[in-house]
Amino acid sequence: MVQPLSTFQQGGGYVSRMRRLLIAGLTVVLAAGACTPPSGSAGGDAGGEAGGEATPAGDVPIEKVVFIVKENRTFDNLFGRLPGADGVTSGRTSDGSKITLKRAPDIYAHDIGHDFISGLVVVNGGEMNGFDRIPGGRYLDGYTQYRRADIPAYWKYAQRFVLGERMFSSMYGPTIPEHMYTVAASASRVVSNKLTPEDGRGLYCEDKRERFHRLAHHPKLMAWERKLRLARIRALFREISACLDVRTIFPELEKIGVSWNYYGNPEQFHNPLLAIDEIRNTERWDNVIDPERFLADAKAGDLPQVSYLLPPAKFNDHPHPGRSLCVGENWTIKQVNAVMSGPDWAHTAIFITWDDFGGIYDHVPPPQVDDLGFGPRVPLIVISPWAKSGHISDTTFEFSSFLALQERLFGVDPLTARDKNANDMFDLFDFDQEPLDPLILEPRPEMMVDGKPLCKGLPAS
């Protein structure tokens, strides 16, 4: 058993921390949807340069931490134009052309490929020029990005609090295994969403017909990924049951008396706990509760020590026909406002990220830490009274960093090599600063069109 917060990772090593966290609890809210040649062995140091001075004992005021993980956006898509950030306004296509990133629509006309193979194709061994070669990519809709006026709340949060510009998806894709990394730092080598039957309900462990693709091991796999030997990679796909024997963080938290809830629709496709045997087929399933309860619990200060929040599909920011990013941003504003207006704001940190690249352009090659990822870069916003105001962090993170944070706070052993090597996000805070005030924002006005919510004054596509 590791000691709580006795150490935290900096780069590839550890620095002593002259403190002990006096913490009442941790709230982790997950509102979930380029290879550079490796410098070490597969599964090696997944961290970047984590910073932070040693904090005196008792000086860490965070008692609850909230992670909101949404769907399918890249850093360049949301923040490529934000001043001071590592973003671009043009991208490269597979024929070497340089094209301007067009203004992104509130609602995309069609989905764009973001499965595991598509992730490899866009990265293209670190060239980051394959976004026109994936399903739906030939229309170049992935070469798009937003302005401040399009997503004003996300930009206000990023500029008032912390923006992470080196947050990477844990895998090349897609959604379900990415979400598993947020609770398990592993997806048991699953590289697909569920296979047949495509009934849209996400039954997983409840339906023995449902399957995943698992990627078998091969000593040349990482080289094949860099060189896009796609036929050889697909030949390693194996069909397995869509009910996995995966260790999550939750039993480890229970052993030390830490309470948790997963606020998520129990039949929603994106809910990874549906596919994890130790949750779905045990009494722990009682901890999976209606996401609508989150607002009331946050306002009342009744969130458990660890909470995950999965947004309903229509609010998850997925670039998909009929789904408005403005409406999704409004949903996020309401969740953040609930925490900020509740009694626990002074002791809370909120993390917002997106689960995979969604087929949308980003220019930064992800480190190849093993034969599953990292995948393309996604945004990270950190909101807290103790966040370094206006800071843009270049520390390398991935979804396993959420587990690394919990493990160091509570003294829990890492589950996998990924969370063992992940940076734990403590360098994003300054516990000596004057605490920042809440930033209560107003959602933009909405209306219903053909039974779907849209923001007023915005084009439908």
Side-chain angles (χ1 to χ4, degrees):
M1 176 71 70
V2 299
Q3 294 302 310
L5 286 172
S6 58
T7 59
F8 90 104
Q9 189 166 8
Q10 181 174 22
Y14 288 83
V15 293
S16 297
R17 286 178 92 59
M18 302 294 296
R19 62 169 162 82
R20 179 181 177 184
L21 251 183
L22 303 180
I23 269 189
L26 170 72
T27 303
V28 182
V29 180
L30 289 170
C35 302
T36 53
S39 58
S41 61
D45 182 9
E49 183 180 345
E53 297 296 325
T55 305
D59 281 2
V60 178
I62 295 175
E63 298 174 359
K64 297 186 176 183
V65 184
V66 177
F67 297 99
I68 302 178
V69 180
K70 306 199 79 180
E71 294 278 322
N72 296 31
R73 301 287 175 169
T74 63
F75 188 92
D76 281 335
N77 182 241
L78 297 190
F79 297 111
R81 289 179 173 267
L82 190 139
D86 183 7
V88 296
T89 58
S90 63
R92 295 285 182 181
T93 60
S94 57
D95 65 1
S97 299
K98 182 178 180 180
I99 61 174
T100 299
L101 302 182
K102 298 179 297 183
R103 191 166 191 164
D106 182 53
I107 299 175
Y108 278 69
H110 58 88
D111 205 5
I112 309 173
H114 50 278
D115 58 281
F116 187 85
I117 293 295
S118 293
L120 292 171
V121 170
V122 303
V123 170
N124 190 21
E127 294 297 318
M128 303 305 291
N129 62 359
F131 294 84
D132 59 333
R133 296 181 55 206
I134 56 179
R138 64 187 178 93
Y139 304 105
L140 303 184
D141 290 344
Y143 289 85
T144 50
Q145 66 183 176
Y146 294 94
R147 276 66 167 171
R148 177 195 298 270
D150 302 323
I151 47 172
Y154 288 149
W155 275 50
K156 287 178 181 178
Y157 292 146
Q159 294 185 305
R160 174 68 178 279
F161 299 102
V162 170
L163 177 65
E165 63 179 10
R166 284 295 183 276
M167 177 73 165
F168 294 93
S169 50
S170 293
M171 297 175 51
Y172 298 108
T175 288
I176 288 300
E178 300 279 15
H179 279 268
M180 288 185 182
Y181 271 85
T182 67
V183 297
S186 171
S188 192
R189 300 189 65 80
V190 165
V191 292
S192 74
N193 293 326
K194 65 169 185 164
L195 307 177
T196 52
E198 291 292 342
D199 56 15
R201 294 184 59 205
L203 297 175
Y204 299 97
C205 286
E206 296 181 40
D207 190 340
K208 293 183 180 180
R209 300 172 300 162
E210 296 196 352
R211 317 294 286 175
F212 283 135
H213 275 149
R214 171 179 281 165
L215 184 64
H217 292 277
H218 193 282
K220 295 183 179 180
L221 181 54
M222 292 177 70
W224 290 349
E225 290 171 344
R226 292 192 295 274
K227 297 176 181 179
L228 294 187
R229 302 292 191 260
L230 301 183
R232 296 178 182 180
I233 295 169
R234 287 193 182 97
L236 296 176
F237 285 12
R238 305 286 187 267
E239 280 199 15
I240 63 168
S241 167
C243 190
L244 302 178
D245 182 16
V246 173
R247 291 179 61 207
T248 67
I249 190 69
F250 303 119
E252 305 309 309
L253 296 177
E254 290 172 356
K255 291 176 185 177
I256 55 176
V258 176
S259 59
W260 65 276
N261 281 339
Y262 193 100
Y263 294 87
N265 186 322
E267 290 190 351
Q268 186 169 326
F269 165 81
H270 310 86
N271 190 335
L273 302 191
L274 284 160
I276 298 178
D277 180 69
E278 73 172 22
I279 305 297
R280 184 63 191 92
N281 292 326
T282 70
E283 68 281 355
R284 295 188 183 98
W285 189 246
D286 293 339
N287 294 71
V288 179
I289 59 179
D290 191 329
E292 299 300 323
R293 276 185 49 184
F294 179 82
L295 289 176
D297 287 353
K299 291 176 181 177
D302 289 337
L303 293 173
Q305 290 169 274
V306 174
S307 301
Y308 285 75
L309 174 59
L310 182 70
K314 62 183 176 181
F315 302 130
N316 68 9
D317 293 358
H318 187 124
H320 187 277
R323 293 187 193 171
S324 162
L325 181 58
C326 176
V327 170
E329 184 187 58
N330 280 350
W331 180 91
T332 305
I333 291 170
K334 294 172 185 177
Q335 316 310 308
V336 174
N337 283 352
V339 175
M340 288 182 168
S341 61
D344 293 327
W345 164 246
H347 306 288
T348 297
I350 304 170
F351 296 73
I352 306 172
T353 193
W354 287 256
D355 76 335
D356 68 48
F357 74 105
I360 302 175
Y361 184 79
D362 193 84
H363 79 283
V364 174
Q368 188 183 27
V369 299
D370 56 34
D371 57 13
L372 297 169
F374 298 152
R377 193 172 59 145
V378 295
L380 171 69
I381 303 171
V382 182
I383 300 170
S384 173
W386 310 104
K388 295 177 179 178
S389 185
H391 177 56
I392 299 177
S393 172
D394 62 0
T395 301
T396 298
F397 299 116
E398 58 135 328
F399 301 140
S400 301
S401 293
F402 302 155
L403 276 74
L405 175 64
Q406 296 178 65
E407 290 154 1
R408 284 150 178 78
L409 288 174
F410 291 111
V412 177
D413 289 328
L415 300 178
T416 72
R418 281 292 195 91
D419 50 329
K420 180 179 180 180
N421 289 318
N423 287 309
D424 63 18
M425 300 185 166
F426 268 84
D427 64 313
L428 305 180
F429 302 95
D430 181 354
F431 300 122
D432 295 323
Q433 71 182 16
E434 284 295 314
L436 303 176
D437 292 331
L439 181 63
I440 303 295
L441 300 178
E442 286 293 325
R444 285 178 280 178
E446 296 181 13
M447 59 183 179
M448 297 299 294
V449 177
D450 296 330
K452 297 178 181 179
L454 293 174
C455 287
K456 293 181 179 179
L458 295 179
S461 61

